[in-house]
Amino acid sequence: MKARLILAVLFTAVLGLAGCGEPVARNTGVYMLIDTSGTYTQEIEKAQKIINYLLGTLTTGDSLAVAKIDSGSFTEKDIVAKVTFDSRPSQANAQKRAFQTSINQFVTRVNSSAYTDITGGVIQGIEYLNETGAGKKYILIFSDLKEEIQKGQIRDFPLSFNGIRVSAINVTKLRSDNVDPREYLDRLEAWRNRVESGSGKWRVINDLNRIETLLEDKGS
Amino acid sequence: MSGTNVLTIWSDQVAISVIVWLAIIIFLMFFARPWAHQAIHAFAKVIHKAARTASRSIRSAELHLKDRNRQVLLQHGREATERHIEREFQRVATTVNRDLSGYPSLQRKLKEQITKIDEDYQQTAEVPPSPPNWLEAIEHVAKIPGNGDPTVAKILDDIHGTLKRANDKALTEYRSASQRRHTLLKQMLPYWRKMTHTLESVEKKIHSLEERSKIIDNQMDKYSEIMAQTDLATKLLSSSSLTQFFIAGLVLIIAALGGFINFQLIALPMSEMVGAGTYVGNTSWQVSNVAAMVIISVEVAMGLFLMEAVGITRLFPVIGSMDDKMRRRIAWVLFSFLFLFASIESALAYMRDLMATDREALNQSLAGVQVVEAEYRWIPSVGQMIMGFVLPFALTFVAIPLESFVHSSRTVLGIAAAAFLRFLAFFCRFLGNISLNAGNFLINVYDLVIIVPLRIDYMFRSGRHPTHKETKPDKIITGKKTKSLQSMDSTMS
């Protein structure tokens, strides 16, 4: 009788341990792309505010990287700053301060680029986020979404987002858009199709007063 | 063969076919009537009996549970009363040992005071100064007529002067004697006061003993009632248990809120120690929160043991049965642990304040606002530290309501379970009655369906046997059913 009882307890314990399984990733990874082409550099202060908001929102264990979009964005060199916050809150705060300083320096010395390789930046972002192993992944594109790539660069191929949430922020209207608004709408639609066909989720946030909705499903 | 085909087997017209089918069914039902009645009745009876048996069993279980509840209640009441009486006796013993053991010395002291007062009193007895013996002779001399003789007048004057001096001297002596007596009386005053005070304190002690004896008498009466297992004792204990249950529950809720505040104080700094991004398995419980909860739980457990060791609660018989010396040692060890935990919590609370300040400063910096050092920042810091230190000790006292809650919940749950069983028994009985009546109802409906052949049969039998009262099939149905059929038949006829 006792032996049966012990066996039953052991069996339950084994089942309980098996139920634990692989730990679930609960951290968040954010990759923010900042367009530095042409006149869009004038908008960079807005991007700085968004980064500060992200620094205030992200917590221990989360990852954040800020990269610029220039003529050839598919490179680590374009990453302005990146960090994975320490599990200790005091250390995480120190990292946030250092990150803020890096961004402040970047904002003061940013130069305009001739071309706008958004796709390259997005691919770089997907790679970075997959490396972090974050449970929730976000790519924030701070750009007018007007892609201009150098001759010879190949960017027109499908991308695999695998559940990454892609948000286009502050998509400004260009002069040509004012002439024919369909251009603007087509641009947005093209990016939506590209993201959603790659199993990603697409959103556009033009009103920066709704900045708090950026990571609204972070806690869920 | 589909349903429509079966329906139209007798005629292409559905209505005619339905009528034929109905006629066949009614015909068959008429011939099967006695057995159908029997089957319906038997089925209803089976359900009725099963429900009644279940009801009886449940009722028996309820009575058993009630009896068990009563025994538990009386047992608990007996233990509580014994404990109360024991404590009262301990108090009486303490009073007797502390106060009455000093009675010989008190008596000696009182005797000394009384002797002293008596001596002083004796000394203060007022003795009127006796008149000098020669006063009478002088009175006679004073009555001698002078007849204008200057010598006699001089003698009389001298006598008068002597008398006056003697009088003055006597008066002075009398006054000084009175003053001495007053002084002695004045010296007696503190002795009187002391004695009054001593006697008052004795009276108070005696009165307190009297009060204690009254309480013991009441408790003994209660104890006798419990031992006699009277209904009154059960009722009183039950009512007391319910009151205790709600009061203890309320206090436990308050304690839980205190625990929550305590948790909030240490959860954030714990994340600094064990990391904030780690979770327990696949759950959403942060390890830092679990660690904070564990610390609070350990504190509560320490508090429970401490209360047990000092003899306030009796939740753990093992601790209660230890000898006093060992229990005292354990109490000191537990108190030391609690003190240690309280100090740790105080430090953690301070750390929490520092972290909150740092986070606030960072947020201000991120928002582009100039970081301003708040004035009187030390007040919340000190407040949090004090709270962190005090709350573990406050949580110690959870043991008292917890004990009441555990004991009273046994009674309350027993009462609730008994009430539930009673309801269940009633429901089963109700179900049984419904099934029996439903059987009767179905039998009547059955007869109503075959009313036409039934009436024809009745008329036929009445024609053949004018005295015929009852049809054969009804005889195999139980008495109750037969009556219902009879009443129906009489109504129809």
Side-chain angles (χ1 to χ4, degrees):
Chain A
M1 187 68 190
K2 268 185 182 175
R4 278 186 190 176
L5 192 71
I6 291 165
L7 275 175
V9 170
L10 281 175
F11 184 67
T12 317
V14 168
L15 276 182
L17 285 172
C20 290
E22 283 286 305
V24 178
R26 291 171 195 285
N27 55 340
T28 304
V30 181
Y31 192 85
M32 186 167 173
L33 288 162
I34 301 173
D35 194 342
T36 57
S37 63
T39 54
Y40 201 81
T41 44
Q42 292 165 5
E43 304 282 328
I44 202 145
E45 280 182 10
K46 289 180 185 173
Q48 196 180 8
K49 280 180 186 167
I50 292 168
I51 292 164
N52 284 345
Y53 168 76
L54 291 174
L55 286 172
T57 309
L58 295 174
T59 56
T60 52
D62 293 342
S63 301
L64 173 65
V66 174
K68 59 182 178 183
I69 299 171
D70 57 12
S71 303
S73 307
F74 183 55
T75 169
E76 279 85 3
K77 285 176 189 167
D78 277 355
I79 297 178
V80 178
K82 62 176 177 179
V83 67
T84 295
F85 297 118
D86 196 89
S87 63
R88 289 167 297 169
S90 61
Q91 283 300 309
N93 284 354
Q95 286 172 313
K96 284 176 183 180
R97 284 193 175 93
F99 198 95
Q100 191 192 16
T101 310
S102 302
I103 295 300
N104 289 347
Q105 283 168 1
F106 164 71
V107 168
T108 52
R109 58 179 167 76
V110 64
N111 295 319
S112 291
S113 64
Y115 295 93
T116 317
D117 177 20
I118 301 173
T119 307
V122 169
I123 299 167
Q124 183 64 43
I126 292 169
E127 280 208 336
Y128 172 80
L129 291 174
N130 287 337
E131 270 178 37
T132 59
K136 281 173 185 146
K137 299 164 190 165
Y138 298 85
I139 292 177
L140 311 178
I141 308 171
F142 190 79
S143 164
D144 53 14
L145 296 182
K146 177 83 174 171
E147 191 163 42
E148 288 169 328
I149 53 175
Q150 292 180 65
K151 199 174 177 183
Q153 280 182 338
I154 301 165
R155 295 290 185 262
D156 55 342
F157 52 86
L159 302 174
S160 175
F161 288 92
N162 281 332
I164 296 176
R165 295 150 175 88
V166 183
S167 300
I169 307 165
N170 195 39
V171 186
T172 50
K173 281 92 183 173
L174 305 172
R175 199 168 295 159
S176 57
D177 294 337
N178 213 1
V179 176
D180 184 2
R182 282 178 300 177
E183 270 188 30
Y184 175 79
L185 296 173
D186 288 346
R187 219 159 55 229
L188 289 180
E189 195 55 33
W191 270 104
R192 171 190 292 280
N193 288 336
R194 205 168 183 195
V195 170
E196 288 181 353
S197 62
S199 306
K201 290 177 184 171
W202 174 256
R203 266 196 336 160
V204 178
I205 301 172
N206 276 332
D207 183 4
L208 292 185
N209 289 328
R210 292 194 300 121
I211 196 171
E212 66 279 0
T213 61
L214 262 180
L215 311 177
E216 61 186 355
D217 53 348
K218 176 183 178 285
S220 61
Chain B
M1 190 181 279
S2 68
T4 319
N5 290 339
V6 173
L7 192 67
T8 54
I9 198 167
W10 306 110
S11 168
D12 289 340
Q13 289 187 356
V14 176
I16 293 170
S17 200
V18 166
I19 288 167
V20 172
W21 270 119
L22 275 175
I24 291 168
I25 289 166
I26 288 169
F27 184 74
L28 287 173
M29 279 176 76
F30 172 72
F31 278 102
R33 183 178 175 248
W35 297 279
H37 278 199
Q38 201 177 15
I40 293 169
H41 191 73
F43 183 68
K45 196 81 181 168
V46 162
I47 293 176
H48 175 70
K49 276 192 174 173
R52 278 185 77 88
T53 310
S55 170
R56 267 200 298 275
S57 302
I58 293 167
R59 182 83 184 137
S60 158
E62 185 214 334
L63 290 174
H64 181 72
L65 184 67
K66 269 174 119 173
D67 189 49
R68 175 91 187 116
N69 283 346
R70 188 185 156 91
Q71 292 302 324
V72 169
L73 195 66
L74 288 169
Q75 173 72 14
H76 181 236
R78 191 172 64 78
E79 279 174 10
T81 317
E82 275 175 1
R83 205 196 303 187
H84 203 152
I85 291 170
E86 193 185 317
R87 288 220 172 138
E88 285 304 326
F89 272 119
Q90 275 173 1
R91 281 171 190 155
V92 168
T94 312
T95 312
V96 169
N97 286 336
R98 192 186 55 210
D99 302 326
L100 295 189
S101 62
Y103 262 83
S105 65
L106 187 75
Q107 194 187 5
R108 198 172 56 245
K109 204 169 152 188
L110 274 173
K111 242 180 184 175
E112 279 171 7
Q113 283 173 359
I114 288 168
T115 313
K116 184 78 183 158
I117 287 167
D118 194 44
E119 279 171 6
D120 285 350
Y121 180 72
Q122 291 297 331
Q123 283 176 15
T124 56
E126 190 176 354
V127 185
S130 54
N133 296 332
W134 42 267
L135 203 65
E136 210 173 316
I138 287 172
E139 199 182 343
H140 288 293
V141 172
K143 281 177 184 171
I144 296 169
N147 296 332
D149 190 350
T151 313
V152 173
K154 192 175 180 293
I155 289 165
L156 286 174
D157 278 345
D158 287 346
I159 289 168
H160 180 256
T162 308
L163 268 174
K164 202 179 173 186
R165 276 195 301 278
N167 186 40
D168 286 346
K169 195 180 173 188
L171 195 65
T172 311
E173 273 175 15
Y174 181 74
R175 277 179 182 160
S176 66
S178 291
Q179 203 173 3
R180 271 202 307 277
R181 277 193 296 276
H182 278 136
T183 313
L184 284 169
L185 281 170
K186 208 174 177 182
Q187 282 171 354
M188 277 166 68
L189 205 62
Y191 287 105
W192 277 114
R193 279 183 188 151
K194 247 187 216 172
M195 203 161 75
T196 312
H197 183 71
T198 313
L199 286 173
E200 270 174 5
S201 79
V202 170
E203 191 193 351
K204 264 184 199 167
K205 281 160 192 168
I206 297 293
H207 185 70
S208 121
L209 276 177
E210 206 179 330
E211 289 293 315
R212 293 253 170 265
S213 67
K214 275 180 194 167
I215 294 170
I216 290 171
D217 280 350
N218 285 340
Q219 289 299 321
M220 283 307 290
D221 287 345
K222 194 176 164 187
Y223 190 69
S224 307
E225 290 269 345
I226 292 169
M227 289 308 282
Q229 302 196 348
T230 60
D231 285 342
L232 180 71
T234 316
K235 210 177 276 180
L236 284 175
L237 287 173
S238 179
S239 157
S240 167
S241 273
L242 278 171
T243 315
Q244 281 297 309
F245 180 77
F246 287 112
I247 292 171
L250 186 72
V251 177
L252 281 179
I253 289 170
I254 293 167
L257 291 174
F260 178 71
I261 300 288
N262 204 356
F263 172 77
Q264 290 297 326
L265 275 178
I266 63 169
L268 183 63
M270 281 309 286
S271 66
E272 191 68 26
M273 291 160 81
V274 295
T278 327
Y279 292 83
V280 180
N282 287 339
T283 62
S284 58
W285 302 337
Q286 277 189 330
V287 171
S288 56
N289 286 352
V290 174
M293 281 301 297
V294 167
I295 285 187
I296 293 168
S297 305
V298 169
E299 281 168 6
V300 172
M302 293 283 173
L304 291 179
F305 293 141
L306 182 63
M307 286 287 156
E308 193 73 25
V310 294
I312 293 175
T313 56
R314 290 188 184 182
L315 285 166
F316 305 99
V318 178
I319 297 177
S321 60
M322 284 176 183
D323 65 287
D324 287 352
K325 202 175 172 185
M326 180 61 93
R327 276 201 295 147
R328 219 171 294 133
R329 274 184 195 164
I330 288 179
W332 274 112
V333 169
L334 290 168
F335 180 78
S336 310
F337 273 122
L338 259 179
F339 188 82
L340 205 67
F341 272 110
S343 307
I344 291 169
E345 270 207 21
S346 188
L348 286 175
Y350 181 64
M351 194 171 161
R352 179 190 182 279
D353 192 59
L354 289 181
M355 288 170 76
T357 312
D358 184 43
R359 187 171 173 78
E360 201 180 322
L362 176 69
N363 283 341
Q364 283 179 346
S365 154
L366 291 172
V369 182
Q370 197 183 354
V371 180
V372 182
E373 184 85 11
E375 219 175 333
Y376 303 115
R377 193 69 197 84
W378 60 273
I379 295 176
S381 304
V382 172
Q384 286 184 46
M385 282 180 75
I386 292 171
M387 270 173 76
F389 190 78
V390 169
L391 277 171
F393 290 108
L395 284 177
T396 303
F397 292 94
V398 167
I400 299 167
L402 184 72
E403 187 188 31
S404 297
F405 189 78
V406 168
H407 285 312
S408 57
S409 60
R410 170 69 185 81
T411 311
V412 172
L413 286 176
I415 292 170
F420 175 71
L421 286 178
R422 193 182 303 164
F423 170 76
L424 211 61
F426 165 78
F427 182 73
C428 284
R429 216 178 159 78
F430 181 70
L431 200 71
N433 286 339
I434 282 187
S435 81
L436 196 66
N437 288 317
N440 287 337
F441 175 73
L442 278 175
I443 286 168
N444 288 335
V445 169
Y446 191 96
D447 283 352
L448 200 65
V449 173
I450 57 167
I451 190 73
V452 177
L454 204 63
R455 285 311 304 164
I456 294 167
D457 177 60
Y458 179 74
M459 283 160 66
F460 178 71
R461 283 170 193 260
S462 301
R464 260 199 343 200
H465 308 287
T467 54
H468 179 74
K469 287 277 179 192
E470 188 54 76
T471 53
K472 193 183 167 190
D474 286 338
K475 284 181 185 172
I476 59 169
I477 299 168
T478 56
K480 219 171 187 176
K481 168 68 191 63
T482 312
K483 272 181 198 167
S484 71
L485 281 178
Q486 276 174 350
S487 64
M488 189 189 76
D489 289 345
S490 64
T491 316
M492 284 167 69
S493 58

